[in-house]
């Protein structure tokens, strides 16, 4: 009997179609095709860490990039360790319009979802 090897493909991060579409729209409004959405983690918030989003033209050597629909999500090396396996999406609801992170590494989150702990 021969064993068939299995291939493990790790899930780095997911950049949803909805989030990519919103990024594309915002880049078009800014008239700067070099912009990329950068997600990062900083200390703070009621749970210990906070998610942040900004637009950036630069990609550093140690950044992780994820492309979807012709736009790029960028994560710095320090933040990546807290975000691996996460889903970056865009939501519009009663709380407003915003980019959100669903993070499987977070052990607790605050009520608004902007801060977390591991």
């Amino acid at each position: 009997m021969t064993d068939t090897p299995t291939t493990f493909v790790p899930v780095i991060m997911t950049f949803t179609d909805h989030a990519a579409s919103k990024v594309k729209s915002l880049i078009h409004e800014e008239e700067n095709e070099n912009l990329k959405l950068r997600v990062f983690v900083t200390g703070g918030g009621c749970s210990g860490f906070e998610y942040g989003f900004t637009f950036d033209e630069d990609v550093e050597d140690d950044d992780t990039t994820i492309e979807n629909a012709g736009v790029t999500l960028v994560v710095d090396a320090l933040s990546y360790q807290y975000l691996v396996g996460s889903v970056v999406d865009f939501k519009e609801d009663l709380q407003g319009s915003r980019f959100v992170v669903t993070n499987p590494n977070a052990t607790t989150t605050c009520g608004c979802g902007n801060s977390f702990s591991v």
Side-chain angles (χ1 to χ4, degrees):
M1 182 172 157
T2 61
D3 290 329
T4 304
T6 57
T7 303
F8 176 73
V9 179
V11 175
I12 298 173
M13 288 179 66
T14 301
F15 182 29
T16 68
D17 293 343
H18 193 160
S21 176
K22 185 60 177 181
V23 170
K24 185 177 271 192
S25 171
L26 293 169
I27 288 171
H28 181 71
E29 286 178 22
E30 291 296 316
E31 299 178 355
N32 183 350
E33 297 299 318
N34 295 319
L35 291 176
K36 296 145 190 64
L37 179 65
R38 181 176 289 277
V39 60
F40 56 92
V41 173
T42 60
C46 52
S47 294
F49 294 103
E50 285 184 295
Y51 302 112
F53 296 92
T54 188
F55 280 99
D56 197 343
E57 290 185 355
D58 299 321
V59 175
E60 303 300 324
D61 291 339
D62 60 349
D63 284 341
T64 297
T65 59
I66 302 161
E67 293 188 23
N68 185 353
V71 294
T72 305
L73 176 73
V74 180
V75 184
D76 65 88
L78 183 61
S79 298
Y80 179 78
Q81 64 185 329
Y82 298 108
L83 295 171
V84 67
S86 295
V87 176
V88 176
D89 197 6
F90 184 77
K91 293 209 175 192
E92 297 174 275
D93 57 22
L94 293 175
Q95 294 179 357
S97 302
R98 65 208 177 281
F99 289 100
V100 295
V101 176
T102 303
N103 188 343
N105 305 305
T107 56
T108 59
T109 59
C110 67
C112 66
N114 288 336
S115 69
F116 69 101
S117 64
V118 289

